[in-house]
Amino acid sequence: MPLVRLLTGDESRPGAGRQEEALTLSQRFPGLVVAARDVAASVLQGVHGRRRAGSGETFWQFRPFVAGESRGRIDWRRSARDDRLYVREREWEAAHTVMLWIDRSASMRFVSKLALQAKIDRALVLGLAAADLLVQGGERVGLLGLTRPLAARNIVERFGEVLLNEFRIREKNGKASEAEELPAAEVLPRNSQAVLIGDFLSAPQDIAATIETLGALGARGHLVMIADPVEETFPFAGNTEFIDVDSSARLRVGQAESFRADYIRRLNAHREAIRAAARARGWTLMLHRTDRPATEALLGLRMQLEANLLNAAAGRAL
């Protein structure tokens, strides 16, 4: 039987916890920042940069002149060293905007001994690593509802501080454990992208409404669904007590294994409804389990973002 528990409020809080608490998220946060940078660096080594010809100022390459092009594009100095005519190409430098949201709600505190990290830890690592990777690629990244888009080299630390401060404000108002399960309604600009990272256990219609609002003007988006392996397989048997993370409700059942097939069917239906809502807006949905390396999810997300950024650039050039 897998050991399953919820992180305590102190363990999951992104703020300065009591010093005697050994596992507060604030104490783990420096390690999560390092992990985020390591994950980003690992993925960056395996992905080619988004270099292409464009209207920037940075030299990219020389290429042979093609009949029909304007002669004003010829680099005569380079052409004088050869028997051919050459064009000097510059690198595309138009930055795009990506807005990021990381779920910090109660259900993200779920963790089993089969997982490499708690869901909240993995979401933070992925979100911060994605921000770091995007900034290194020349994009602007913001925290949805919390910051404007930034292109700072220390984006991981800056976003970390913003998240910590946001928690402190909720704590001061007595709402430390009441983080929203979905981002606040906000219409994003047409050529921007959104990356939402969470477990998406909310009602599918609520998630669909969020996607519709964010993408009302044509903004593209990506959902990264974080799941603990126990949530995937429902490996419970015998007398089992289930606890609601958002209330004091408890459910005691006998022969828990008899619920497995129905649970998996309902879970698949829930995810398919979310996938359909995303697909209707041209968004993507990617499932990531916390017993898998974070680099897998970041690489997949990077490739999806890359495809949309290139398509957006091509659309503007037409």
Side-chain angles (χ1 to χ4, degrees):
M1 176 68 66
L3 175 63
V4 177
R5 69 185 182 95
L6 292 178
L7 299 181
T8 66
D10 279 333
E11 285 180 307
S12 62
R13 60 175 291 187
R18 296 189 298 272
Q19 292 303 309
E20 66 271 16
E21 296 288 346
L23 293 176
T24 62
L25 184 55
S26 61
Q27 291 170 334
R28 297 200 310 278
F29 198 78
L32 296 178
V33 168
V34 172
R37 289 203 178 279
D38 288 346
V39 168
S42 177
V43 170
L44 188 63
Q45 292 176 3
V47 178
H48 295 293
R50 190 172 50 85
R51 300 190 64 189
R52 59 189 182 276
S55 57
E57 297 299 325
T58 303
F59 169 74
W60 179 21
Q61 66 180 4
F62 289 111
R63 65 165 175 80
F65 175 76
V66 178
E69 290 187 276
S70 170
R71 293 178 64 85
R73 301 192 63 190
I74 297 174
D75 188 288
W76 295 105
R77 179 175 297 180
R78 172 65 183 86
S79 300
R81 302 201 306 265
D82 205 336
D83 294 332
R84 305 180 65 180
L85 297 178
Y86 288 90
V87 172
R88 174 188 289 266
E89 286 193 331
R90 297 182 176 90
E91 187 174 354
W92 183 276
E93 293 179 349
H96 298 82
T97 297
V98 180
M99 298 304 295
L100 177 69
W101 178 79
I102 303 172
D103 187 357
R104 285 100 63 208
S105 62
S107 62
M108 294 295 287
R109 304 202 308 260
F110 184 89
V111 60
S112 74
K113 70 176 184 181
L114 300 180
L116 298 174
Q117 286 181 304
K119 291 194 292 184
I120 179 62
D121 287 5
R122 180 55 58 85
L124 285 167
V125 167
L126 281 177
L128 295 175
D132 192 43
L133 202 62
L134 286 163
V135 167
Q136 290 188 59
E139 316 301 350
R140 298 186 301 263
V141 189
L143 287 175
L144 198 57
L146 294 176
T147 75
R148 62 180 177 83
L150 304 171
R153 290 188 177 182
N154 63 339
I155 194 74
V156 172
E157 289 78 10
R158 292 183 68 165
F159 279 4
E161 186 59 33
V162 169
L163 292 169
L164 293 176
N165 287 336
E166 188 263 349
F167 175 83
R168 294 186 186 113
I169 292 173
R170 286 193 287 108
E171 185 179 44
K172 183 178 180 180
N173 295 331
K175 299 180 179 180
S177 61
E178 298 180 16
E180 296 295 330
E181 294 181 354
L182 293 170
E186 178 179 341
V187 180
L188 298 179
R190 177 177 179 80
N191 292 315
S192 63
Q193 293 195 70
V195 175
L196 312 183
I197 305 176
D199 55 15
F200 299 105
L201 295 178
S202 302
Q205 60 267 28
D206 293 338
I207 298 172
T210 298
I211 294 172
E212 284 295 317
T213 299
L214 294 173
L217 295 181
R220 292 294 187 90
H222 313 274
L223 309 182
V224 182
M225 181 180 288
I226 308 294
D228 188 286
V230 162
E231 293 175 316
E232 290 271 285
T233 58
F234 197 82
F236 306 104
N239 294 324
T240 306
E241 182 179 63
F242 298 97
I243 304 172
D244 183 8
V245 298
D246 295 313
S247 71
S248 59
R250 295 170 179 264
L251 174 65
R252 294 184 177 88
V253 299
Q255 296 183 329
E257 65 274 15
S258 64
F259 293 87
R260 185 174 300 127
D262 188 52
Y263 169 86
I264 292 176
R265 179 182 61 79
R266 288 172 176 263
L267 178 65
N268 290 336
H270 174 84
R271 290 176 174 174
E272 185 51 41
I274 298 172
R275 192 181 305 278
R279 190 185 304 117
R281 269 289 174 190
W283 288 35
T284 66
L285 172 64
M286 177 175 64
L287 175 66
H288 174 64
R289 284 176 38 155
T290 53
D291 59 344
R292 302 297 303 167
T295 50
E296 289 185 1
L298 185 59
L299 180 58
L301 176 61
R302 172 64 184 181
M303 301 310 290
Q304 290 174 348
L305 284 164
E306 181 79 6
N308 274 359
L309 291 171
L310 288 171
N311 289 338
R316 289 181 180 180
L318 295 177

